[in-house]
Amino acid sequence: GGPTVTTAFVERDLYERVLVHVAPLLLGPAGRPAVLTGPTTLADAPRLRLDHAEHVGDEAVLTLSRG
């Protein structure tokens, strides 16, 4: 699960939309969350378009699609 599954979908272009929940938390190195296991450079990162942003309680939910 987690970043392994997400990375497999992104690498194979098997996604249309991504929902990102942003919470007001600061985590240290041991608690660092991971969405993808790669890429290692910004140039290799998939580019996404922001379609919608919603404020839900103390969090933000971003809806992104392939750019």
Side-chain angles (χ1 to χ4, degrees), residues 38-55:
T40 57
T41 68
L42 289 177
D44 294 332
R47 300 292 175 204
L48 303 173
R49 179 182 66 233
L50 177 62
D51 295 322
H52 182 74
E54 182 179 358
H55 186 252

Side-chain angles (χ1 to χ4, degrees), residues 1-3 6 9-10 12 17 21 23 29 31 33 38 40 43 45 47 50 53 61 63:
T6 303
F9 275 86
V10 170
R12 292 167 181 82
R17 180 175 37 191
H21 290 251
T40 57
R47 300 292 175 204
L50 177 62
V61 179
T63 302

Side-chain angles (χ1 to χ4, degrees), residues 22-44:
V22 180
L25 300 172
L26 298 175
L27 302 174
R32 180 179 46 206
V35 175
L36 301 171
T37 58
T40 57
T41 68
L42 289 177
D44 294 332

